[in-house]
Amino acid sequence: MSGQKQNGKIIAIITMMFLYAMIAFVTNLAAPIGVVMKNDPEVGGSNMLAMMGNFMNFFAYLFMGIPAGKMLSKVGYKNTALIGIVVGLLGVTIQWISGFEALEGYSDNVIYLLGAFVSGLCVCLLNTVVNPMLNLLGGGGNRGNQLNLIGGTLNSLSGTLTPMFVGALIGELTKETDFADVNLVLYIAMAVFALSFCVLAMIPIKDPEQSKVTADTKFEHSPWAFRHFVLGVIAIFVYVGVEVGIPGTLNFYIADTSAKGAGILENAAAIGGFVAGTYWLLMLVGRFCSTFIADKVSSKTMMIATNGAGIILILLAILIPKTVMTSMPLFMGSSFQMAEVPVSALLLVLCGLCTSIMWASIFNLATEGLGKYTAQASGIFMMMVVGGGVLPLIQNLIVDVAGYIISYIVPLVAMAYMLWYAVFGSKNVNEDIPV
């Protein structure tokens, strides 16, 4: 019997790992598919409209953040995960339908955006479940944390491969390129969601033990009473916008036909996907390396160092002319090859190392000293992921008006705020509030 339980636990862990990867897979579909949407004559080449898929994906967090937490307590972790999987399967299916030939004009774009929104609801639900479930399956403590680190690594790996895969499927953009050209990734997503549902449904998983916060716990205040939390909410909002906006806009920049003047002569969409994927790869490297120093270096110090470095990289990317080229190693299907890209693109890719540690660091600083208000704070944080849709939308509105490189003033200002937060805004000045 114990052997069966152990086997069931291993299968459950593997299933959670797949879901961890699916979170990044579904999230990172939006920006590279947006390259197809931008090429649609009905969209007229607008970067802002092309980023709407990404916006709808993150906009869903604003609606699902708090309900996801309530659902967790009402129906349990496993059932919430199963509901999330079903919603994800529905969202990806709607995106697949948008590629039907019978749909013309704006209708295919509208259906795709609906699918992106539904997929965002799924990702929010899964984000709420996966971390605590892996901690439960690992028995808590170091083992539970280790499983989450492995899951985070798979999440980053999936985020790395997705834009590369989509870019390779798109290849060279033409007027005939449409959503159906990326059906293969949608088929894979639907298959993994369906398989994950079947496996998870058959595995008996108990919910974690109830936390110290019970129905009898009195909340005299709320997380909003803490200044460092309020400022941290703003920091997490702009951070997710930076994390998504840098590679998403960079993908458009490289894939855009205007980039040909900077030296990219063919397969621009594919190269754009590979460049954006390299950003996510560096985030993976940064997350992996940070696990070795996190117990020795404070979140505040890491935030100061990474935001300082990010500001310098973005400033250089803005100031260096786009005609200045360099070679970057990119995985081009079966091997690594050197591709000519603007130096500014390389500098922006390096920002992936900087953004890799920010979510955990901001969360750590913003929830320090919150005590019984931490659970409420987590739900609010999940809602603020909507910044990953808002800031890239603003950035690409600037692209339409003033150009690609100047639009990076948006993540530049956001990083400047996060640097200020780490230095000054993260101090808890409300220690008199009982927690």
Side-chain angles (χ1 to χ4, degrees), residues 336-380:
F336 280 94
Q337 298 179 24
M338 302 301 291
E340 287 289 311
V341 299
V343 170
S344 56
L346 175 60
L347 293 171
L348 293 170
V349 164
L350 291 175
C351 288
L353 290 171
C354 303
T355 55
S356 63
I357 60 91
M358 291 183 190
W359 172 275
S361 297
I362 295 172
F363 187 88
N364 181 268
L365 292 172
T367 58
E368 182 70 25
L370 261 59
K372 62 185 179 183
Y373 300 104
T374 301
Q376 295 177 31
S378 298
I380 296 170

Tab-separated table of all heavy atoms in Angstrom, residues 336-380:
chain	number	residue	atom	x	y	z
A	336	PHE	N	23.323	25.587	-32.698
A	336	PHE	CA	23.525	26.998	-32.430
A	336	PHE	C	24.241	27.650	-33.605
A	336	PHE	O	25.202	27.107	-34.123
A	336	PHE	CB	24.351	27.195	-31.154
A	336	PHE	CG	23.547	27.048	-29.888
A	336	PHE	CD1	23.488	25.832	-29.226
A	336	PHE	CD2	22.850	28.123	-29.373
A	336	PHE	CE1	22.748	25.690	-28.067
A	336	PHE	CE2	22.107	28.002	-28.215
A	336	PHE	CZ	22.050	26.784	-27.552
A	337	GLN	N	23.723	28.800	-34.012
A	337	GLN	CA	24.341	29.556	-35.093
A	337	GLN	C	24.448	31.015	-34.685
A	337	GLN	O	23.658	31.504	-33.875
A	337	GLN	CB	23.511	29.439	-36.381
A	337	GLN	CG	23.394	28.023	-36.917
A	337	GLN	CD	22.551	27.951	-38.178
A	337	GLN	OE1	22.421	28.948	-38.892
A	337	GLN	NE2	21.970	26.802	-38.456
A	338	MET	N	25.431	31.692	-35.249
A	338	MET	CA	25.593	33.104	-34.974
A	338	MET	C	24.686	33.906	-35.897
A	338	MET	O	24.619	33.646	-37.097
A	338	MET	CB	27.049	33.530	-35.178
A	338	MET	CG	28.056	32.765	-34.306
A	338	MET	SD	27.730	32.950	-32.525
A	338	MET	CE	28.147	34.677	-32.285
A	339	ALA	N	23.962	34.847	-35.320
A	339	ALA	CA	23.068	35.708	-36.102
A	339	ALA	C	23.412	37.162	-35.826
A	339	ALA	O	23.735	37.530	-34.693
A	339	ALA	CB	21.610	35.434	-35.750
A	340	GLU	N	23.329	37.976	-36.860
A	340	GLU	CA	23.602	39.400	-36.717
A	340	GLU	C	22.369	40.108	-36.160
A	340	GLU	O	21.279	40.021	-36.732
A	340	GLU	CB	23.974	40.000	-38.088
A	340	GLU	CG	25.351	39.598	-38.584
A	340	GLU	CD	26.460	40.246	-37.782
A	340	GLU	OE1	26.410	41.472	-37.579
A	340	GLU	OE2	27.372	39.524	-37.348
A	341	VAL	N	22.543	40.777	-35.040
A	341	VAL	CA	21.455	41.547	-34.426
A	341	VAL	C	22.012	42.892	-33.967
A	341	VAL	O	23.230	43.036	-33.769
A	341	VAL	CB	20.839	40.806	-33.211
A	341	VAL	CG1	20.240	39.484	-33.625
A	341	VAL	CG2	21.878	40.612	-32.114
A	342	PRO	N	21.165	43.888	-33.784
A	342	PRO	CA	21.645	45.152	-33.239
A	342	PRO	C	22.226	44.958	-31.838
A	342	PRO	O	21.740	44.119	-31.069
A	342	PRO	CB	20.386	46.024	-33.195
A	342	PRO	CG	19.462	45.416	-34.201
A	342	PRO	CD	19.740	43.942	-34.167
A	343	VAL	N	23.254	45.704	-31.489
A	343	VAL	CA	23.848	45.629	-30.153
A	343	VAL	C	22.791	45.911	-29.092
A	343	VAL	O	22.793	45.308	-28.011
A	343	VAL	CB	25.023	46.623	-30.020
A	343	VAL	CG1	25.485	46.730	-28.569
A	343	VAL	CG2	26.187	46.208	-30.904
A	344	SER	N	21.876	46.819	-29.403
A	344	SER	CA	20.807	47.142	-28.454
A	344	SER	C	19.983	45.918	-28.097
A	344	SER	O	19.544	45.750	-26.949
A	344	SER	CB	19.899	48.234	-29.017
A	344	SER	OG	19.369	47.856	-30.276
A	345	ALA	N	19.759	45.016	-29.078
A	345	ALA	CA	19.000	43.790	-28.820
A	345	ALA	C	19.747	42.899	-27.839
A	345	ALA	O	19.154	42.312	-26.918
A	345	ALA	CB	18.738	43.051	-30.127
A	346	LEU	N	21.051	42.777	-28.011
A	346	LEU	CA	21.856	41.959	-27.107
A	346	LEU	C	21.808	42.518	-25.686
A	346	LEU	O	21.669	41.761	-24.710
A	346	LEU	CB	23.307	41.903	-27.600
A	346	LEU	CG	24.311	41.179	-26.687
A	346	LEU	CD1	23.907	39.735	-26.470
A	346	LEU	CD2	25.715	41.266	-27.271
A	347	LEU	N	21.903	43.834	-25.550
A	347	LEU	CA	21.864	44.460	-24.228
A	347	LEU	C	20.517	44.221	-23.544
A	347	LEU	O	20.458	43.955	-22.336
A	347	LEU	CB	22.119	45.963	-24.368
A	347	LEU	CG	23.528	46.370	-24.830
A	347	LEU	CD1	23.576	47.854	-25.139
A	347	LEU	CD2	24.568	46.006	-23.776
A	348	LEU	N	19.441	44.272	-24.316
A	348	LEU	CA	18.111	44.049	-23.753
A	348	LEU	C	17.917	42.592	-23.351
A	348	LEU	O	17.262	42.292	-22.347
A	348	LEU	CB	17.041	44.478	-24.756
A	348	LEU	CG	16.988	45.982	-25.039
A	348	LEU	CD1	16.066	46.286	-26.211
A	348	LEU	CD2	16.543	46.750	-23.795
A	349	VAL	N	18.495	41.684	-24.122
A	349	VAL	CA	18.430	40.262	-23.776
A	349	VAL	C	19.113	40.013	-22.433
A	349	VAL	O	18.640	39.227	-21.605
A	349	VAL	CB	19.086	39.399	-24.884
A	349	VAL	CG1	19.371	37.990	-24.379
A	349	VAL	CG2	18.167	39.336	-26.096
A	350	LEU	N	20.219	40.693	-22.182
A	350	LEU	CA	20.958	40.519	-20.931
A	350	LEU	C	20.146	40.954	-19.718
A	350	LEU	O	20.444	40.552	-18.583
A	350	LEU	CB	22.269	41.312	-20.987
A	350	LEU	CG	23.328	40.780	-21.957
A	350	LEU	CD1	24.528	41.723	-22.016
A	350	LEU	CD2	23.778	39.380	-21.558
A	351	CYS	N	19.097	41.755	-19.949
A	351	CYS	CA	18.232	42.165	-18.849
A	351	CYS	C	17.518	40.970	-18.219
A	351	CYS	O	17.007	41.067	-17.096
A	351	CYS	CB	17.200	43.187	-19.329
A	351	CYS	SG	17.880	44.819	-19.692
A	352	GLY	N	17.453	39.848	-18.942
A	352	GLY	CA	16.841	38.648	-18.386
A	352	GLY	C	17.517	38.192	-17.108
A	352	GLY	O	16.873	37.669	-16.194
A	353	LEU	N	18.838	38.397	-17.022
A	353	LEU	CA	19.557	38.060	-15.794
A	353	LEU	C	19.090	38.940	-14.638
A	353	LEU	O	19.044	38.495	-13.488
A	353	LEU	CB	21.066	38.237	-16.005
A	353	LEU	CG	21.761	37.222	-16.923
A	353	LEU	CD1	23.192	37.666	-17.204
A	353	LEU	CD2	21.747	35.834	-16.286
A	354	CYS	N	18.752	40.185	-14.946
A	354	CYS	CA	18.336	41.135	-13.915
A	354	CYS	C	16.925	40.853	-13.406
A	354	CYS	O	16.654	40.891	-12.205
A	354	CYS	CB	18.421	42.563	-14.453
A	354	CYS	SG	20.061	43.035	-15.050
A	355	THR	N	16.003	40.565	-14.323
A	355	THR	CA	14.609	40.372	-13.917
A	355	THR	C	14.363	39.027	-13.249
A	355	THR	O	13.317	38.819	-12.636
A	355	THR	CB	13.671	40.496	-15.141
A	355	THR	OG1	14.090	39.576	-16.155
A	355	THR	CG2	13.711	41.905	-15.708
A	356	SER	N	15.325	38.117	-13.330
A	356	SER	CA	15.112	36.746	-12.855
A	356	SER	C	14.814	36.658	-11.361
A	356	SER	O	14.098	35.770	-10.916
A	356	SER	CB	16.333	35.879	-13.193
A	356	SER	OG	17.484	36.368	-12.523
A	357	ILE	N	15.338	37.586	-10.558
A	357	ILE	CA	15.205	37.458	-9.103
A	357	ILE	C	14.138	38.380	-8.527
A	357	ILE	O	13.884	38.355	-7.317
A	357	ILE	CB	16.563	37.738	-8.410
A	357	ILE	CG1	17.071	39.163	-8.721
A	357	ILE	CG2	17.601	36.723	-8.824
A	357	ILE	CD1	16.632	40.211	-7.741
A	358	MET	N	13.496	39.184	-9.348
A	358	MET	CA	12.708	40.287	-8.813
A	358	MET	C	11.384	39.870	-8.184
A	358	MET	O	10.969	40.431	-7.168
A	358	MET	CB	12.479	41.345	-9.896
A	358	MET	CG	13.747	42.089	-10.266
A	358	MET	SD	13.446	43.387	-11.473
A	358	MET	CE	15.135	43.834	-11.900
A	359	TRP	N	10.686	38.900	-8.768
A	359	TRP	CA	9.392	38.504	-8.204
A	359	TRP	C	9.555	38.049	-6.758
A	359	TRP	O	8.885	38.561	-5.853
A	359	TRP	CB	8.745	37.397	-9.032
A	359	TRP	CG	7.509	36.838	-8.383
A	359	TRP	CD1	7.436	35.864	-7.442
A	359	TRP	CD2	6.151	37.261	-8.595
A	359	TRP	NE1	6.136	35.635	-7.061
A	359	TRP	CE2	5.325	36.481	-7.753
A	359	TRP	CE3	5.564	38.213	-9.430
A	359	TRP	CZ2	3.943	36.619	-7.718
A	359	TRP	CZ3	4.176	38.355	-9.390
A	359	TRP	CH2	3.378	37.569	-8.539
A	360	ALA	N	10.438	37.100	-6.529
A	360	ALA	CA	10.624	36.568	-5.180
A	360	ALA	C	11.128	37.653	-4.229
A	360	ALA	O	10.710	37.719	-3.066
A	360	ALA	CB	11.598	35.394	-5.217
A	361	SER	N	12.019	38.503	-4.708
A	361	SER	CA	12.593	39.545	-3.851
A	361	SER	C	11.548	40.580	-3.453
A	361	SER	O	11.470	40.985	-2.282
A	361	SER	CB	13.763	40.229	-4.569
A	361	SER	OG	14.805	39.315	-4.823
A	362	ILE	N	10.731	41.028	-4.408
A	362	ILE	CA	9.686	42.016	-4.102
A	362	ILE	C	8.666	41.413	-3.149
A	362	ILE	O	8.245	42.048	-2.170
A	362	ILE	CB	9.002	42.514	-5.387
A	362	ILE	CG1	9.995	43.276	-6.263
A	362	ILE	CG2	7.809	43.412	-5.051
A	362	ILE	CD1	9.459	43.641	-7.636
A	363	PHE	N	8.250	40.182	-3.411
A	363	PHE	CA	7.280	39.514	-2.546
A	363	PHE	C	7.826	39.419	-1.126
A	363	PHE	O	7.119	39.671	-0.146
A	363	PHE	CB	6.961	38.123	-3.085
A	363	PHE	CG	5.852	37.421	-2.346
A	363	PHE	CD1	4.535	37.592	-2.721
A	363	PHE	CD2	6.133	36.598	-1.263
A	363	PHE	CE1	3.505	36.956	-2.032
A	363	PHE	CE2	5.119	35.962	-0.566
A	363	PHE	CZ	3.802	36.141	-0.953
A	364	ASN	N	9.104	39.056	-1.013
A	364	ASN	CA	9.737	38.905	0.291
A	364	ASN	C	9.763	40.235	1.041
A	364	ASN	O	9.432	40.319	2.234
A	364	ASN	CB	11.155	38.367	0.114
A	364	ASN	CG	11.863	38.163	1.442
A	364	ASN	OD1	12.552	39.053	1.921
A	364	ASN	ND2	11.708	37.000	2.041
A	365	LEU	N	10.141	41.303	0.358
A	365	LEU	CA	10.221	42.618	0.989
A	365	LEU	C	8.840	43.167	1.342
A	365	LEU	O	8.644	43.753	2.411
A	365	LEU	CB	10.938	43.604	0.056
A	365	LEU	CG	12.431	43.357	-0.187
A	365	LEU	CD1	12.953	44.290	-1.280
A	365	LEU	CD2	13.228	43.554	1.100
A	366	ALA	N	7.876	42.971	0.454
A	366	ALA	CA	6.550	43.564	0.646
A	366	ALA	C	5.720	42.859	1.713
A	366	ALA	O	4.828	43.468	2.311
A	366	ALA	CB	5.790	43.568	-0.680
A	367	THR	N	5.965	41.575	1.946
A	367	THR	CA	5.176	40.829	2.930
A	367	THR	C	5.887	40.676	4.266
A	367	THR	O	5.349	40.059	5.186
A	367	THR	CB	4.824	39.426	2.390
A	367	THR	OG1	6.029	38.717	2.060
A	367	THR	CG2	3.946	39.526	1.151
A	368	GLU	N	7.075	41.229	4.377
A	368	GLU	CA	7.831	41.156	5.632
A	368	GLU	C	7.049	41.839	6.747
A	368	GLU	O	6.651	43.005	6.636
A	368	GLU	CB	9.194	41.845	5.466
A	368	GLU	CG	10.077	41.777	6.702
A	368	GLU	CD	10.602	40.377	6.983
A	368	GLU	OE1	10.697	39.577	6.025
A	368	GLU	OE2	10.910	40.084	8.151
A	369	GLY	N	6.796	41.079	7.821
A	369	GLY	CA	6.121	41.647	8.981
A	369	GLY	C	4.617	41.733	8.864
A	369	GLY	O	3.964	42.346	9.723
A	370	LEU	N	4.015	41.093	7.847
A	370	LEU	CA	2.557	41.167	7.681
A	370	LEU	C	1.811	40.137	8.525
A	370	LEU	O	0.605	40.273	8.757
A	370	LEU	CB	2.173	41.013	6.204
A	370	LEU	CG	1.890	42.319	5.441
A	370	LEU	CD1	3.106	43.232	5.469
A	370	LEU	CD2	1.478	42.027	4.015
A	371	GLY	N	2.490	39.062	8.939
A	371	GLY	CA	1.861	38.059	9.801
A	371	GLY	C	0.593	37.485	9.214
A	371	GLY	O	0.560	36.963	8.099
A	372	LYS	N	-0.517	37.633	9.969
A	372	LYS	CA	-1.792	37.031	9.560
A	372	LYS	C	-2.397	37.676	8.308
A	372	LYS	O	-3.358	37.152	7.751
A	372	LYS	CB	-2.799	37.116	10.706
A	372	LYS	CG	-3.135	38.558	11.128
A	372	LYS	CD	-4.040	38.560	12.350
A	372	LYS	CE	-4.366	39.989	12.819
A	372	LYS	NZ	-5.201	39.978	14.048
A	373	TYR	N	-1.819	38.799	7.876
A	373	TYR	CA	-2.326	39.468	6.679
A	373	TYR	C	-1.628	38.983	5.400
A	373	TYR	O	-1.949	39.450	4.310
A	373	TYR	CB	-2.140	40.982	6.803
A	373	TYR	CG	-2.866	41.584	7.988
A	373	TYR	CD1	-2.172	41.958	9.136
A	373	TYR	CD2	-4.243	41.758	7.972
A	373	TYR	CE1	-2.823	42.501	10.230
A	373	TYR	CE2	-4.909	42.304	9.061
A	373	TYR	CZ	-4.194	42.669	10.191
A	373	TYR	OH	-4.849	43.195	11.282
A	374	THR	N	-0.702	38.045	5.550
A	374	THR	CA	0.096	37.595	4.406
A	374	THR	C	-0.766	36.926	3.340
A	374	THR	O	-0.562	37.137	2.144
A	374	THR	CB	1.209	36.636	4.859
A	374	THR	OG1	2.049	37.309	5.809
A	374	THR	CG2	2.054	36.181	3.677
A	375	ALA	N	-1.739	36.093	3.766
A	375	ALA	CA	-2.580	35.386	2.791
A	375	ALA	C	-3.370	36.378	1.941
A	375	ALA	O	-3.469	36.230	0.722
A	375	ALA	CB	-3.529	34.426	3.508
A	376	GLN	N	-3.933	37.406	2.576
A	376	GLN	CA	-4.665	38.432	1.823
A	376	GLN	C	-3.720	39.162	0.866
A	376	GLN	O	-4.079	39.472	-0.277
A	376	GLN	CB	-5.290	39.440	2.782
A	376	GLN	CG	-6.359	38.869	3.698
A	376	GLN	CD	-6.881	39.917	4.679
A	376	GLN	OE1	-6.915	41.101	4.371
A	376	GLN	NE2	-7.298	39.477	5.853
A	377	ALA	N	-2.516	39.413	1.337
A	377	ALA	CA	-1.523	40.099	0.511
A	377	ALA	C	-1.185	39.281	-0.730
A	377	ALA	O	-1.002	39.831	-1.821
A	377	ALA	CB	-0.258	40.368	1.318
A	378	SER	N	-1.116	37.951	-0.580
A	378	SER	CA	-0.794	37.078	-1.715
A	378	SER	C	-1.854	37.180	-2.799
A	378	SER	O	-1.540	37.199	-3.998
A	378	SER	CB	-0.665	35.623	-1.237
A	378	SER	OG	0.390	35.496	-0.309
A	379	GLY	N	-3.137	37.241	-2.402
A	379	GLY	CA	-4.209	37.381	-3.377
A	379	GLY	C	-4.128	38.693	-4.134
A	379	GLY	O	-4.334	38.743	-5.349
A	380	ILE	N	-3.780	39.765	-3.409
A	380	ILE	CA	-3.637	41.075	-4.050
A	380	ILE	C	-2.460	41.052	-5.023
A	380	ILE	O	-2.541	41.601	-6.130
A	380	ILE	CB	-3.444	42.180	-2.980
A	380	ILE	CG1	-4.708	42.289	-2.115
A	380	ILE	CG2	-3.113	43.520	-3.632
A	380	ILE	CD1	-4.544	43.160	-0.889
